[in-house]
Amino acid sequence: DVGNAIAVDASGDAVLTGHFRGNATFGNYNITSSGGNDVFVAKVSGTTGAWLWATSCSRSTPTTCDWQTWRTS
């Protein structure tokens, strides 16, 4: 698993992005790759440190990795 970037939003929450192979766990959120290195985006609360969500998409099907995939609040 490799982290590539961290950004902090206006609420002070951190959004992390990177890639992983196999399974990745972010608090109670478990994501599974499609067999290769897949992209992940996860958000953690800047107040409590709790994971708010995590999602992934496959690098093998980049059309599913468009910006709309990540429009999760």
Side-chain angles (χ1 to χ4, degrees):
D1 301 343
V2 176
N4 292 336
I6 301 173
V8 178
D9 68 13
S11 299
D13 299 334
V15 179
L16 299 84
T17 184
H19 64 275
F20 73 104
R21 180 183 297 254
N23 298 309
T25 302
F26 301 88
N28 293 325
Y29 300 94
N30 299 304
I31 54 177
T32 302
S33 74
S34 63
N37 283 326
D38 286 2
V39 174
F40 73 82
V41 178
K43 188 173 187 177
V44 64
S45 169
T47 304
T48 67
W51 292 98
L52 302 174
W53 52 263
T55 189
S56 67
C57 69
S58 171
R59 287 185 172 183
S60 63
T61 55
T63 55
T64 64
C65 291
D66 64 39
W67 176 245
Q68 294 304 314
T69 303
W70 314 117
R71 299 296 304 243
T72 309
S73 54

